[in-house]
Amino acid sequence: MNPSKTAELATPALLIDIDALEKNLSTMSTRHPDSKLRPHTKAHKCTEIARLQLSHSHTNFTCATPREIIGMAAAGVGSDFLLANEVLDAERLSALAKVSENVRVTIAVDSIETIKAAVRAGLRDVVIDVNVGLPRCGVAPELAGQLADTARKAGMTVRGVMGYEGHLMMVNGDEKRKKRVDESMTLLGRAAQDVGGEIVSAGGTGTWDMHDDTCINELQAGSYALMDTQYAELKIPFVQACFVLGTVISRSQDWLVIDVGLKSLTTDHGNPSVDGYDVLFCADEHTALVTKKDSAVALANIGEKLLVRPSHIDPTMSMHSAAWAMRADEILECWQIDLRGW
Ligand SMILES: Cc1ncc(COP(=O)(O)O)c(C=O)c1O
């Protein structure tokens, strides 16, 4: 079946509002044109969306998995890829080394082990991943220079540093967030001086407008393209462009149930949202909804379709094999979420 209207879709179905997506891409690329933005592909895992980011002047991409880089290179989208993640798997690193014969592949390292694994696989380019406060990957800032020396001695080209301030994305209040970002970026700036190289990479959607005067020369934002309800709380100028379409499959007098649940979106950032409704709870295949207090909206009928706004875009995208690009109720194209997997 080739559906032409969203009402014809089997649900749950992932929908992408193409005008909202375009608006987000152009807002971001106006502020961070060309190589000032290294869009993070992990937020959508879709080469069609990456192709649109390319058309907005971005040729350099951030990736979280070897699979993302390999898929992007095979699709001919982008020419310079940063794997902003630590990888030890020899087979995947060798596959990346093969890809690096045709496009530039730079991998983040934060230990002697990750350097050795990259060298063994035949990769040449690294950035030193610096911990700027998020308790995740990254070497302590004061050890970054030493690790860079180790990488150079092992024959690698050290292109610079990255330091993702993920712990600050949702800090409440612009001023507070900015102050904390400055503190984190001071750490990254010092590490960058010790390390050398041309790349100083950090940032995300929540700090997209807080780096004009920091040390970084590229922003790694990804969620801005499709957005989610958690980021919407920040009142940043990006709009919801991705929805999960559900069908009302059951209703009582007081609540209704749609066929969108934990198998088609995640709730790690809170429950999803549906206009006019409050979420009672999400289960594997179901979400139960009640109308908002004082809402004029009547409970939808069995068979009606409702748009659900995910609270966390990245893992939601990777639960679907395809997305329907649409305008109003018109389906324009079907896009494969082709960069899933590791
Ligand atoms: C290394 C890295 N850089 C950048 C980002 C930015 O992503 P977002 O646009 O979702 O804030 C992330 C998200 O988790 C990340 O892990």
Side-chain angles (χ1 to χ4, degrees):
M1 185 182 100
N2 254 344
S4 60
K5 299 276 183 197
T6 54
E8 297 163 15
L9 289 172
T11 56
L14 196 63
L15 299 183
I16 293 177
D17 178 334
I18 206 154
D19 295 330
L21 169 61
E22 268 297 329
K23 178 182 180 302
N24 292 342
L25 298 187
S26 93
T27 301
M28 183 60 94
S29 66
T30 301
R31 176 114 181 199
H32 300 283
D34 311 308
S35 62
K36 297 261 178 250
L37 182 75
R38 194 183 269 281
H40 210 319
T41 54
K42 87 185 180 76
H44 52 69
K45 289 186 175 280
C46 172
T47 49
E48 291 298 336
I49 297 177
R51 210 180 288 286
L52 292 177
Q53 290 172 316
L54 184 68
S55 76
H56 279 265
S57 79
H58 313 297
T59 54
N60 305 345
F61 287 87
T62 310
C63 293
T65 63
R67 167 74 203 125
E68 287 171 12
I69 295 184
I70 291 163
M72 291 279 284
V77 183
S79 52
D80 184 313
F81 298 97
L82 170 60
L83 185 62
N85 203 0
E86 279 63 20
V87 177
L88 289 165
D89 185 272
E91 207 172 309
R92 289 175 189 161
L93 288 171
S94 297
L96 271 187
K98 198 154 180 16
V99 166
S100 73
E101 290 164 14
N102 301 313
V103 292
R104 191 140 193 204
V105 175
T106 304
I107 182 164
V109 292
D110 69 355
S111 63
I112 292 172
E113 290 81 354
T114 42
I115 291 172
K116 279 187 182 162
V119 170
R120 267 198 301 271
L123 283 159
R124 290 197 52 81
D125 293 330
V126 292
V127 293
I128 304 300
D129 189 359
V130 180
N131 186 310
V132 294
L134 173 71
R136 206 175 71 177
C137 301
V139 67
E142 61 278 14
L143 300 178
Q146 208 176 306
L147 197 64
D149 292 344
T150 305
R152 288 196 179 98
K153 275 193 201 121
M156 309 224 71
T157 302
V158 179
R159 293 187 72 196
V161 294
M162 65 157 277
Y164 173 55
E165 74 281 21
H167 58 305
L168 304 180
M169 293 298 145
M170 292 305 296
V171 169
N172 214 351
D174 288 0
E175 256 177 53
K176 251 198 216 161
R177 197 156 66 256
K178 169 68 177 146
K179 185 170 172 291
R180 304 263 321 262
V181 168
D182 286 347
E183 287 162 5
S184 273
M185 292 305 112
T186 300
L187 297 176
L188 186 63
R190 279 195 211 123
Q193 278 178 4
D194 293 346
V195 166
E198 76 278 14
I199 293 177
V200 186
S201 193
T205 301
T207 59
W208 81 290
D209 57 352
M210 302 200 160
H211 282 285
D212 289 349
D213 56 357
T214 72
C215 61
I216 75 167
N217 51 27
E218 54 176 55
L219 187 86
Q220 301 181 349
S223 301
Y224 77 97
L226 296 173
M227 280 294 281
D228 53 38
T229 59
Q230 187 187 58
Y231 263 141
E233 288 169 23
L234 290 181
K235 310 274 181 275
I236 46 184
F238 304 107
V239 294
Q240 190 74 37
C242 182
F243 304 86
V244 181
L245 184 71
T247 304
V248 180
I249 54 167
S250 177
R251 62 167 278 185
S252 73
Q253 208 163 332
D254 301 322
W255 70 83
L256 58 77
V257 182
I258 54 174
D259 58 354
V260 172
L262 301 171
K263 303 282 175 70
S264 55
L265 49 72
T266 61
T267 54
D268 57 311
H269 286 178
N271 279 333
S273 305
V274 179
D275 289 353
Y277 291 89
D278 282 326
V279 172
L280 278 183
F281 66 93
C282 294
D284 283 359
E285 304 288 357
H286 305 120
T287 295
L289 302 168
V290 289
T291 50
K292 277 194 187 301
K293 251 205 177 118
D294 307 325
S295 158
V297 178
L299 269 188
N301 291 311
I302 292 175
E304 279 187 51
K305 292 204 155 75
L306 294 177
L307 284 179
V308 184
R309 297 165 189 261
S311 60
H312 192 184
I313 192 64
D314 312 52
T316 298
M317 291 302 288
S318 64
M319 290 173 144
H320 296 261
S321 57
W324 302 93
M326 54 90 171
R327 176 174 291 127
D329 64 346
E330 207 72 48
I331 292 172
L332 307 175
E333 278 173 54
C334 181
W335 293 343
Q336 298 307 305
I337 313 301
D338 51 350
L339 303 174
R340 298 188 304 159
W342 290 264

